[in-house]
Amino acid sequence: MPRFKRTRSKVDETDSESGGSPTIGKRSNKRNKLTENAPATDCPPRSLPQKLAVYIVAAKLESNRIKELSNLVEESTEYSLAKNAGEADVIVTGTGVRERLERSVPVAIIDQKPILKPEWLEKSIKEGKRQPYHQYQALYLSQDEAANGVELPDDHYDRTIVTSAQAALSPSAKYACQRQSPLVCPNQDLVEQLAVLKRARELDLNWESALSYARAIASIKAYPRKIQSAKEARKLAYVGDKTELKVIREYLKSGQISETKSILEGEKYRVLMEFSSIYGIGPMTAQVLYARRCRTLEDVKRFYKDPDNAALEIEEDDDDEDEEKNVRVPERWIEVSLALKDDLSIKIPRREVEQVARMVMHELEEIQPGCLHTIAGGYRRGKRESNDIDIVITHPAADANRVRELCQEFTDVLSKKGLVTHLMTLTGQHSPSSSPAGVIAKAFTIFSLPGSGRSRRLDLIFAVPDVYWTAVVGWTGSTMFQRDLRLHAKSKDLKFDSSGITRRTDESVIIAHSEKDVFEILGLPYIHPTMRNADP
């Protein structure tokens, strides 16, 4: 969604698919470590220019309303009218549907700037105080708007069409981070059948074979046309191996991969899949449980209640796991996950993700005004439903110590209010010692949505401003996209992860000032979050 122009602040941009774009919190009378000595302003230090350029989109606004808003801007000393969207710092619109806005504003601009309701501009000028962006984001559909029939089209997120511009990045490129990968591709059925083979290899701890299938799947996900022959498939990266070609040839001939069908009909695969769906249970633990004659979740519950198994230590091989989720989970939380299995297995719709994010940021505003955030994960990649909720948070004035303190303080507050019922993991992650600013702190929690009785996985990632955008990229996924970002960075003699970008030669830090900066520093063309779905 919007980006914030800045004079010196490192945090200035995010993407419209975030739904929880960096937002500036309202002023608070509370004293806190970041604002008690700050200048008397509605905004965090250095986060906004002195005068804001506003572009008013005519769509869904009456002519007299446009004139009224224009007059307000012209009479103001704090704002000016931009001639076009490209020159604007803020875009004001009356529509809440992205597709409608795209008729008037280029997609690239929508993805970079705050898109706000007219009420934001009106109230900011009339009250002489710039209002917080997050309360007036135009592309959020409120409950009232939804009740009045404002709805996104069914295919808004699950697009299958890859345009010629998107296909300009070659689908046969070496790395997944060099390809456009939509959520649903023209060869989706083939991808899903190959995914079973990949997952079966993972569950059998055959990592090399699993990775081979993962790479082939990622390549096929980026192919913009229906594959018609094995010869055509052979041209794609990582599909030249005879094993992959053999099963693809079988699929093209019959529409079915016999091994996939056999795996799905087998008991062991079904059992291991169910076990590994529990937070904290990976393939190795699932194999141990199966070897101990566990066949149901009730068996697993009894297993962990047995004192003889209390000290069971299994070192999971996380080589094919998302690095940003790679945190060891204490076994006591496996019991929690088992107890909450029914809730945690239910997918989270987009609107609920947004609802939780708004609630979380409202609570954070009470203890630390002026924080910025982006909803990451599958939500940001355009998924209709998510397994969990990932929110990356920063503050323009936060240092490494404050990031860690705020993560702890905030989770404590949420716990006391009953919003967080379980703190699964709390960690701080440092970049090289040469960069004391390069730090993130993570809290993996169980969040209870008030009034619903539902429990949801909520991951909060706090980052200092200098690593905010690497954190956003690192937590947007998908797994293969992230893996290849790291490999591509290594090929450039760089190291990339969510805590920053460093040169391998001397560990010096390269600061990204925006998400697009991350791609530019790594020598990559920018790829929209909804086209980073390199996994099934």
Side-chain angles (χ1 to χ4, degrees):
M1 232 9 221
R3 102 173 150 178
F4 299 94
K5 293 200 64 157
R6 70 188 191 302
T7 53
R8 294 175 60 195
S9 174
K10 301 297 187 291
V11 182
D12 70 344
E13 176 184 354
T14 192
D15 188 278
S16 65
E17 292 301 322
S18 72
S21 54
T23 55
I24 295 179
K26 62 187 178 182
R27 188 164 173 78
S28 172
N29 292 325
K30 295 188 177 182
R31 291 172 62 86
N32 61 75
K33 295 183 180 181
L34 295 181
T35 60
E36 59 185 1
N37 296 317
T41 173
D42 176 48
C43 308
R46 301 175 284 123
S47 62
L48 286 174
Q50 200 166 23
K51 196 167 185 177
L52 231 62
V54 179
Y55 181 68
I56 301 173
V57 179
K60 295 293 183 179
L61 290 177
E62 299 290 340
S63 58
N64 60 342
R65 179 64 165 153
I66 297 172
K67 185 177 180 180
E68 178 186 359
L69 293 170
S70 299
N71 288 340
L72 281 173
V73 173
E74 290 172 348
E75 294 170 2
S76 170
T77 59
E78 299 289 329
Y79 303 84
S80 64
L81 284 174
K83 295 179 180 179
N84 55 61
E87 296 178 358
D89 298 314
V90 172
I91 295 172
V92 170
T93 178
T95 182
V97 179
R98 182 183 171 93
E99 278 82 355
R100 181 63 186 85
L101 184 62
E102 288 175 357
R103 300 176 196 172
S104 305
V105 179
V107 172
I109 292 178
I110 295 175
D111 291 345
Q112 295 176 4
K113 302 189 178 185
I115 312 297
L116 306 176
K117 297 177 181 179
E119 290 75 17
W120 172 85
L121 179 61
E122 190 172 47
K123 191 170 183 180
S124 294
I125 294 177
K126 288 183 176 180
E127 295 190 4
K129 186 174 75 170
R130 201 167 296 167
Q131 301 299 307
Y133 288 169
H134 72 281
Q135 294 181 10
Y136 296 90
Q137 291 187 37
L139 297 187
Y140 278 161
L141 293 181
S142 68
Q143 291 181 347
D144 290 339
E145 288 169 330
N148 289 326
V150 180
E151 188 59 81
L152 293 174
D154 289 340
D155 66 345
H156 180 63
Y157 301 108
D158 297 340
R159 302 228 181 254
T160 60
I161 299 172
V162 181
T163 67
S164 57
Q166 293 167 342
L169 291 96
S170 172
S172 60
K174 180 178 181 180
Y175 297 111
C177 56
Q178 296 171 310
R179 313 183 205 117
Q180 302 270 13
S181 303
L183 268 176
V184 181
C185 70
N187 299 284
Q188 192 64 26
D189 183 61
L190 170 60
V191 163
E192 290 174 359
Q193 293 203 39
L194 291 173
V196 174
L197 303 183
K198 166 187 169 288
R199 188 57 177 158
R201 267 62 173 180
E202 290 172 346
L203 293 171
D204 285 339
L205 312 183
N206 187 346
W207 306 113
E208 184 176 352
S209 180
L211 181 58
S212 294
Y213 275 110
R215 291 204 175 284
I217 288 168
S219 188
I220 294 170
K221 280 294 295 283
Y223 196 59
R225 297 180 297 278
K226 188 82 171 175
I227 296 173
Q228 301 295 331
S229 67
K231 182 179 179 181
E232 186 178 4
R234 189 181 291 114
K235 297 177 182 178
L236 300 179
Y238 304 106
V239 187
D241 181 84
K242 61 182 181 181
T243 303
E244 282 86 39
L245 275 178
K246 180 181 178 182
V247 295
I248 290 174
R249 188 178 288 111
E250 179 187 4
Y251 173 84
L252 293 173
K253 183 177 180 180
S254 65
Q256 178 68 51
I257 298 174
S258 56
E259 186 184 356
T260 296
K261 185 173 184 292
S262 176
I263 289 170
L264 290 174
E265 291 174 349
E267 179 202 50
K268 186 173 183 179
Y269 178 82
R270 177 188 59 77
V271 171
L272 294 178
M273 280 291 288
E274 185 172 36
F275 290 174
S276 61
S277 70
I278 301 300
Y279 179 59
I281 295 181
M284 291 189 72
T285 306
Q287 284 280 4
V288 169
L289 292 170
Y290 193 85
R292 301 288 183 90
R293 301 186 183 280
C294 292
R295 295 296 182 268
T296 67
L297 292 181
E298 289 302 317
D299 293 339
V300 176
K301 290 177 183 179
R302 284 192 290 270
F303 177 88
Y304 280 105
K305 287 180 180 178
D306 188 338
D308 292 337
N309 299 321
L312 179 67
E313 287 291 336
I314 302 170
E315 189 67 30
E316 290 285 355
D317 186 339
D318 291 308
D319 183 60
D320 198 36
E321 295 297 317
D322 185 344
E323 180 186 59
E324 311 312 337
K325 298 284 189 179
N326 188 0
V327 177
R328 184 166 177 78
V329 180
E331 286 184 3
R332 65 183 182 278
W333 295 125
I334 294 178
E335 296 183 47
V336 173
S337 299
L338 283 166
L340 299 175
K341 175 70 166 63
D342 290 343
D343 269 8
L344 299 182
S345 63
I346 298 173
K347 300 281 188 179
I348 312 170
R350 292 184 68 83
R351 287 190 179 172
E352 186 176 325
V353 172
E354 294 163 3
Q355 180 185 1
V356 170
R358 286 194 292 269
M359 190 176 303
V360 165
M361 295 311 296
H362 174 77
E363 295 294 335
L364 183 57
E365 185 75 18
E366 294 298 312
I367 64 172
Q368 181 55 74
C371 285
L372 317 176
H373 78 285
T374 298
I375 308 175
Y379 172 91
R380 192 158 186 263
R381 297 200 308 276
K383 287 189 174 183
R384 285 178 175 275
E385 298 177 314
S386 302
N387 294 316
D388 59 6
I389 303 168
D390 301 320
I391 306 177
V392 183
I393 301 167
T394 192
H395 189 288
D399 60 13
N401 288 333
R402 182 55 181 153
V403 159
R404 292 191 295 271
E405 290 172 359
L406 188 57
C407 184
Q408 176 73 70
E409 181 183 352
F410 187 46
T411 51
D412 288 346
V413 168
L414 293 180
S415 296
K416 289 176 182 177
K417 291 189 175 185
L419 295 173
V420 162
T421 58
H422 301 85
L423 177 59
M424 309 292 271
T425 308
L426 183 68
T427 68
Q429 178 179 333
H430 296 262
S431 279
S433 57
S434 60
S435 174
V439 72
I440 61 175
K442 298 173 282 190
F444 295 172
T445 75
I446 302 295
F447 185 88
S448 178
L449 190 64
S452 71
R454 293 191 296 270
S455 294
R456 300 301 199 188
R457 281 274 316 282
L458 170 66
D459 297 340
L460 302 171
I461 304 94
F462 288 81
V464 297
D466 283 352
V467 304
Y468 180 72
W469 291 110
T470 55
V472 169
V473 172
W475 282 82
T476 296
S478 63
T479 299
M480 184 53 63
F481 193 93
Q482 296 302 321
R483 175 192 288 274
D484 279 6
L485 269 179
R486 297 191 291 274
L487 288 176
H488 177 78
K490 187 175 182 179
S491 74
K492 299 290 185 181
D493 211 21
L494 299 171
K495 181 179 184 296
F496 167 83
D497 60 34
S498 64
S499 64
I501 301 173
T502 56
R503 290 187 177 88
R504 290 181 177 272
T505 52
D506 58 7
E507 293 191 339
S508 60
V509 178
I510 306 173
I511 297 173
H513 294 240
S514 70
E515 186 176 43
K516 291 186 178 179
D517 256 8
V518 173
F519 284 82
E520 289 177 9
I521 291 167
L522 297 177
L524 292 166
Y526 177 74
I527 294 180
H528 192 275
T530 57
M531 299 300 287
R532 300 180 202 166
N533 294 283
D535 295 291

